[in-house]
Amino acid sequence: IIGLQEEKCVGCNACVRVCPAGDANIAHMDESGTLRIKIDDDRCIKCGACIKACSHHARYFIDDTDRFISDLKAGKEIAMIAAPAIKIAFDGNWRHVLQWLRNQGVKAIYDVSFGADICTWAHLRYLEKNPDAKVISQPCAAVVNYIEKHKPTLISHLSPIHSPMLCMATYMRKVLGFKGRIAAISPCIAKIDEFRETGLIDYNVT
């Protein structure tokens, strides 16, 4: 979820310029007469572009990291799915990060690349059965949010196949029989919507 520290916003419009969904930003004057840019959560696609663009550090995001760590410490049974981006995000130290997570009590860690294989297989089967289908197969949660909130005429073309992350979670549940909670570690803020809507993954750890 994208948040705003309104007292830091100077109304420079940097967030508006980079936002793929411009009407997710609302200009208004506060009580002191200062221009601020608020966020319309119903229109925001949670891509995070505004956070990177805001040099005043007025924008931030909220994920499930704190709740995830708290539940780990409380002894909850949690397995994790890791996105390949972990190798870049931790600059060569990703193995140490995974080991640290295991040391904290994570029961097992799975590579979402296997979920991508499942996702690809499912798309091929779908297209075999629906050869004339016009399918938007992009699993990016921000892209899906954009279509759902700003281009509803394209909703019928969204792929019926889950994203690689959700395919992996489904495999863990249905094939491996994992009964505990599932956390996903990835660079995607928007995944929080995907996880909450489907209920297949319990924590978005970015």
Side-chain angles (χ1 to χ4, degrees):
I1 297 173
I2 308 296
L4 171 68
Q5 295 185 67
E6 190 167 333
E7 70 279 4
K8 292 184 178 181
C9 177
V10 299
C12 69
N13 284 320
C15 54
V16 178
R17 286 193 293 273
V18 299
C19 181
D23 60 350
N25 300 281
I26 306 167
H28 78 106
M29 292 288 186
D30 68 8
E31 294 177 356
S32 68
T34 303
L35 180 68
R36 313 284 191 187
I37 309 296
K38 285 191 171 183
I39 304 165
D40 182 348
D41 191 60
D42 291 333
R43 306 296 284 169
C44 175
I45 65 172
K46 300 177 179 64
C47 67
C50 61
I51 298 172
K52 187 175 182 180
C54 182
S55 60
H56 305 285
H57 308 292
R59 302 249 171 147
Y60 62 94
F61 70 91
I62 300 170
D63 67 1
D64 298 318
T65 301
D66 291 342
R67 183 168 61 89
F68 163 68
I69 296 295
S70 177
D71 286 351
L72 264 184
K73 290 180 177 179
K76 303 291 186 184
E77 184 181 20
I78 303 174
M80 178 164 265
I81 304 170
I86 191 173
K87 293 184 178 182
I88 302 300
F90 290 98
D91 193 25
N93 295 312
W94 60 276
R95 288 183 179 87
H96 300 289
V97 174
L98 297 182
Q99 185 60 58
W100 182 85
L101 289 165
R102 290 283 282 150
N103 292 344
Q104 302 309 304
V106 171
K107 301 301 181 186
I109 300 173
Y110 299 92
D111 189 335
V112 77
S113 297
F114 184 60
D117 288 342
I118 297 170
C119 183
T120 300
W121 174 87
H123 272 100
L124 291 173
R125 300 292 84 76
Y126 177 77
L127 291 174
E128 284 175 357
K129 294 179 180 178
N130 303 274
D132 298 322
K134 306 293 189 294
V135 180
I136 300 171
S137 61
Q138 171 56 258
C140 170
V143 171
V144 173
N145 279 348
Y146 181 77
I147 290 172
E148 290 180 340
K149 295 181 179 186
H150 300 275
K151 300 291 181 181
T153 56
L154 296 178
I155 290 176
S156 62
H157 295 293
L158 280 173
S159 168
I161 310 301
H162 278 319
S163 69
M165 199 68 81
L166 293 186
C167 284
M168 189 67 233
T170 301
Y171 179 84
M172 291 166 64
R173 297 285 190 205
K174 293 189 174 183
V175 178
L176 301 180
F178 182 70
K179 302 296 185 184
R181 301 181 185 185
I182 298 176
I185 183 167
S186 84
C188 182
I189 299 168
K191 283 288 186 187
I192 200 165
D193 282 343
E194 180 181 303
F195 298 162
R196 287 177 177 177
E197 286 174 7
T198 62
L200 291 170
I201 293 178
D202 303 283
Y203 311 90
N204 188 38
V205 181
T206 55

